[in-house]
Amino acid sequence: MPVYRIHRMKENVRQQFRSAPHTIGATRVKPRDYETGGTVEARSWYAAWVTLQRTADALEVGDILEADSGELRICKYVGFEEAEWQLPEPKSGIEATPTPGTPAAAP
């Protein structure tokens, strides 16, 4: 039976998420907005929700389940929808290189 990792949305972000308009497609989420919340063993995303529904660990809107494969589903008012981590773009190093004729930054 699959085991899902639970990612709990931080409360200060949850209030903004609840009032945001519904989006189409995968929801992009930032890892810094989440805390690890344990695991749940269930046959599907919805079975995991039902398993946790009547416990102190019930899933709330904005919480994420992550499958062993890395696939993410975010809990919304309409059910579970696809999500993906929005990771910061790596710096190429070019930004720190002064262009000719431009003074270098002071230390």
Side-chain angles (χ1 to χ4, degrees):
M1 191 171 326
V3 175
Y4 298 96
R5 281 183 294 278
I6 302 167
H7 300 278
R8 303 277 180 188
M9 183 176 269
K10 293 179 180 176
E11 285 306 314
N12 60 328
V13 181
R14 189 181 312 276
Q15 297 310 315
Q16 296 169 1
F17 181 79
R18 286 175 165 238
S19 61
H22 182 75
T23 57
I24 296 174
T27 301
R28 300 195 66 186
V29 293
K30 298 175 185 173
R32 70 174 185 219
D33 294 340
Y34 288 84
E35 298 172 339
T36 303
T39 60
V40 60
E41 186 175 339
R43 293 185 180 163
S44 69
W45 309 102
Y46 289 98
W49 180 80
V50 169
T51 299
L52 297 171
Q53 183 179 7
R54 295 180 189 213
T55 71
D57 295 327
L59 294 174
E60 297 182 45
V61 170
D63 290 343
I64 292 176
L65 291 177
E66 181 179 2
D68 289 334
S69 65
E71 185 179 3
L72 302 176
R73 291 285 187 259
I74 189 165
C75 183
K76 291 190 172 184
Y77 292 110
V78 295
F80 285 98
E81 294 190 356
E82 185 179 351
E84 59 186 32
W85 293 122
Q86 179 180 342
L87 302 175
E89 293 185 23
K91 302 269 182 183
S92 65
I94 294 173
E95 297 86 359
T97 307
T99 56
T102 305

